[in-house]
Amino acid sequence: NLADGRLDVSLFERAQKTDVRVFARSIFLQGALLQSADNLPPNLFALKPIISLLDKLGETTGLSREALLFGWLKAVPGISGVVVGVETISQLRAAAAAFRSGELLLQNRKLLQEMQLMDSNVLDPRKWPSKCRPATTENH
């Protein structure tokens, strides 16, 4: 996902050159990147600057947070596709519409990449205390 600075994205491009297809998953970080910055559980406070930046970019570009996250992902070289979890048909439609939304400008992609985190306690949902998981959203 966008917040994860631990990944060497050049691996995806190298994989593509050897006919290995890479599919991204959890681009919304289990919904945490879709939460209000003010409603994050304490263990995810490190995501606040990223969410705030996404909201600012959304205001200037007219894109939803979902569309911005998909736009960032579509610009990563070597990514063949994305797996998105949904619970309803309306969520699937919303995800498809966000995926089809406009591309991110290079300067916006660079801004977002500068915000990436390295802390696996924030980036790995398996390490989240069950009481400190973000509330689910209606959209995803």
Side-chain angles (χ1 to χ4, degrees):
N1 62 65
L2 162 76
D4 198 337
R6 302 171 301 167
L7 296 175
D8 178 0
V9 295
S10 69
L11 292 174
F12 307 143
E13 198 168 17
R14 289 193 307 236
Q16 185 180 40
K17 290 177 182 175
T18 61
D19 293 329
V20 172
R21 299 183 81 196
V22 176
F23 291 84
R25 66 174 186 81
S26 193
I27 68 163
F28 303 133
L29 191 55
Q30 301 294 313
L33 293 174
L34 301 178
Q35 297 294 310
S36 163
D38 295 330
N39 292 332
L40 286 171
N43 63 308
L44 300 180
F45 280 174
L47 295 173
K48 280 185 174 191
I50 295 169
I51 291 171
S52 295
L53 178 58
L54 285 167
D55 289 343
K56 287 178 187 172
L57 287 175
E59 290 172 11
T60 61
T61 63
L63 296 173
S64 68
R65 221 183 291 166
E66 294 93 333
L68 290 166
L69 292 166
F70 278 125
W72 174 82
L73 178 73
K74 290 190 300 188
V76 175
I79 297 291
S80 299
V82 61
V83 177
V84 179
V86 297
E87 296 173 349
T88 67
I89 295 295
S90 65
Q91 289 177 348
L92 178 61
R93 287 186 182 117
F99 184 82
R100 288 189 302 270
S101 293
E103 302 294 325
L104 279 182
L105 297 174
L106 181 60
Q107 67 265 24
N108 292 339
R109 290 195 318 258
K110 286 182 178 180
L111 274 174
L112 290 168
Q113 286 171 328
E114 290 172 5
M115 301 294 291
Q116 291 178 326
L117 305 172
M118 299 297 282
D119 186 351
S120 65
N121 291 318
V122 174
L123 299 169
D124 186 347
R126 296 172 298 180
K127 296 183 177 185
W128 297 350
S130 59
K131 66 181 180 188
C132 293
R133 294 181 182 272
T136 58
T137 65
E138 186 174 312
N139 292 334
H140 297 294

